[in-house]
Amino acid sequence: MSAEDRIERVRTAYDRAVHDGDDSGLADAERGLDALEADTALARGRILHARFLTAREGDGPSPAEDPAELPLFQRAAELYRSLGDVRGEAEALFWIGCLHQVIRRDNTSAVPELERSGRLAAQVGDQAIQAEALRHLGIAAHMAGRLDEARDRLEESSRLRRECGLLPGVAANMVGLAYIATAQGRHTDATAILEEAHAIAQAHGAHAIVRQVEQARKATVPE
């Protein structure tokens, strides 16, 4: 249902309540507004997260966290939960976990949120969100030195992303898999992984991922 439809439902429910004495539509109209608020909060949080990531790629100082981002994701999760929207809650929890990991460098706080997100996404069959959660759980495992676990998580995330047709995301995962292969002494595998990642990213115009591949080549290919 579109935002316009939800607003129109409120107008109709108001008119029926005030003019006809029938308030039966108010609760449903209010739930529609809750859904709209949740979607908007999630979208605003993603914009703030994207701004952080693009600023981090620049030449200036490390960007600061926008204090509005986490409350937006938390509000979205709260509303989706109250609405019984499992998919929406899974996505909001993913972004909460992502913020803790990427911006705050706090995997202790991130991992429970990511695990919960992955479970809910699997429950409703949302492979895209499940793949996101697995990717970041793999990153957490890599940072903790659990290389086999990290590889398993990223490979499963890549499998799901391929099934969803999210090939630039596969290339991004492969960058992480190349770092893991290097840490495990599998230098030939790392080179092959980066070659494939570069081809996928270039074919899809994923220029930021192409740059990540180039950085990984410098860091992983032996002199």
mmCIF file of all heavy atoms in Angstrom, residues 45-55 69:
data_model
loop_
_atom_site.group_PDB
_atom_site.id
_atom_site.type_symbol
_atom_site.label_atom_id
_atom_site.label_comp_id
_atom_site.label_asym_id
_atom_site.label_seq_id
_atom_site.Cartn_x
_atom_site.Cartn_y
_atom_site.Cartn_z
ATOM 1 N N GLY A 45 17.370 6.327 8.126
ATOM 2 C CA GLY A 45 18.577 5.769 8.721
ATOM 3 C C GLY A 45 19.557 5.292 7.670
ATOM 4 O O GLY A 45 20.777 5.479 7.806
ATOM 5 N N ARG A 46 19.052 4.698 6.602
ATOM 6 C CA ARG A 46 19.930 4.213 5.539
ATOM 7 C C ARG A 46 20.616 5.368 4.824
ATOM 8 O O ARG A 46 21.784 5.257 4.424
ATOM 9 C CB ARG A 46 19.127 3.362 4.552
ATOM 10 C CG ARG A 46 18.641 2.048 5.141
ATOM 11 C CD ARG A 46 17.945 1.187 4.113
ATOM 12 N NE ARG A 46 18.892 0.717 3.103
ATOM 13 C CZ ARG A 46 18.574 -0.147 2.137
ATOM 14 N NH1 ARG A 46 17.346 -0.631 2.072
ATOM 15 N NH2 ARG A 46 19.478 -0.531 1.260
ATOM 16 N N ILE A 47 19.914 6.471 4.659
ATOM 17 C CA ILE A 47 20.541 7.648 4.048
ATOM 18 C C ILE A 47 21.708 8.128 4.906
ATOM 19 O O ILE A 47 22.807 8.419 4.406
ATOM 20 C CB ILE A 47 19.509 8.776 3.855
ATOM 21 C CG1 ILE A 47 18.561 8.416 2.709
ATOM 22 C CG2 ILE A 47 20.208 10.109 3.577
ATOM 23 C CD1 ILE A 47 17.411 9.388 2.543
ATOM 24 N N LEU A 48 21.507 8.194 6.215
ATOM 25 C CA LEU A 48 22.576 8.635 7.117
ATOM 26 C C LEU A 48 23.744 7.657 7.074
ATOM 27 O O LEU A 48 24.910 8.067 7.111
ATOM 28 C CB LEU A 48 22.044 8.770 8.543
ATOM 29 C CG LEU A 48 20.953 9.828 8.751
ATOM 30 C CD1 LEU A 48 20.557 9.882 10.224
ATOM 31 C CD2 LEU A 48 21.420 11.199 8.269
ATOM 32 N N HIS A 49 23.434 6.359 6.988
ATOM 33 C CA HIS A 49 24.511 5.360 6.926
ATOM 34 C C HIS A 49 25.292 5.502 5.623
ATOM 35 O O HIS A 49 26.526 5.417 5.627
ATOM 36 C CB HIS A 49 23.926 3.958 7.046
ATOM 37 C CG HIS A 49 24.947 2.925 7.374
ATOM 38 N ND1 HIS A 49 25.420 2.715 8.652
ATOM 39 C CD2 HIS A 49 25.620 2.043 6.585
ATOM 40 C CE1 HIS A 49 26.329 1.747 8.637
ATOM 41 N NE2 HIS A 49 26.462 1.329 7.389
ATOM 42 N N ALA A 50 24.591 5.728 4.530
ATOM 43 C CA ALA A 50 25.270 5.909 3.243
ATOM 44 C C ALA A 50 26.177 7.140 3.275
ATOM 45 O O ALA A 50 27.287 7.122 2.724
ATOM 46 C CB ALA A 50 24.244 6.039 2.126
ATOM 47 N N ARG A 51 25.716 8.201 3.916
ATOM 48 C CA ARG A 51 26.552 9.404 4.019
ATOM 49 C C ARG A 51 27.822 9.116 4.815
ATOM 50 O O ARG A 51 28.905 9.607 4.475
ATOM 51 C CB ARG A 51 25.754 10.533 4.673
ATOM 52 C CG ARG A 51 24.749 11.170 3.728
ATOM 53 C CD ARG A 51 23.955 12.265 4.405
ATOM 54 N NE ARG A 51 23.095 12.937 3.438
ATOM 55 C CZ ARG A 51 21.963 13.536 3.734
ATOM 56 N NH1 ARG A 51 21.543 13.556 4.998
ATOM 57 N NH2 ARG A 51 21.233 14.122 2.805
ATOM 58 N N PHE A 52 27.699 8.322 5.870
ATOM 59 C CA PHE A 52 28.881 7.956 6.648
ATOM 60 C C PHE A 52 29.860 7.183 5.779
ATOM 61 O O PHE A 52 31.071 7.464 5.777
ATOM 62 C CB PHE A 52 28.482 7.125 7.860
ATOM 63 C CG PHE A 52 29.656 6.620 8.654
ATOM 64 C CD1 PHE A 52 30.191 7.388 9.688
ATOM 65 C CD2 PHE A 52 30.248 5.397 8.361
ATOM 66 C CE1 PHE A 52 31.291 6.932 10.406
ATOM 67 C CE2 PHE A 52 31.347 4.944 9.082
ATOM 68 C CZ PHE A 52 31.863 5.709 10.101
ATOM 69 N N LEU A 53 29.357 6.205 5.033
ATOM 70 C CA LEU A 53 30.240 5.361 4.230
ATOM 71 C C LEU A 53 30.938 6.157 3.134
ATOM 72 O O LEU A 53 32.137 5.966 2.884
ATOM 73 C CB LEU A 53 29.449 4.209 3.611
ATOM 74 C CG LEU A 53 28.868 3.184 4.589
ATOM 75 C CD1 LEU A 53 28.090 2.123 3.828
ATOM 76 C CD2 LEU A 53 29.978 2.538 5.424
ATOM 77 N N THR A 54 30.203 7.042 2.462
ATOM 78 C CA THR A 54 30.828 7.824 1.396
ATOM 79 C C THR A 54 31.843 8.816 1.962
ATOM 80 O O THR A 54 32.894 9.047 1.365
ATOM 81 C CB THR A 54 29.772 8.558 0.560
ATOM 82 O OG1 THR A 54 28.925 9.338 1.418
ATOM 83 C CG2 THR A 54 28.917 7.578 -0.210
ATOM 84 N N ALA A 55 31.548 9.389 3.133
ATOM 85 C CA ALA A 55 32.505 10.293 3.770
ATOM 86 C C ALA A 55 33.764 9.548 4.187
ATOM 87 O O ALA A 55 34.880 10.071 4.103
ATOM 88 C CB ALA A 55 31.863 10.984 4.974
ATOM 89 N N GLU A 69 21.016 8.395 13.642
ATOM 90 C CA GLU A 69 20.901 7.141 12.889
ATOM 91 C C GLU A 69 20.377 5.984 13.729
ATOM 92 O O GLU A 69 19.395 5.315 13.351
ATOM 93 C CB GLU A 69 22.250 6.775 12.270
ATOM 94 C CG GLU A 69 22.174 5.537 11.390
ATOM 95 C CD GLU A 69 23.496 5.220 10.709
ATOM 96 O OE1 GLU A 69 24.335 6.125 10.537
ATOM 97 O OE2 GLU A 69 23.683 4.042 10.348
#
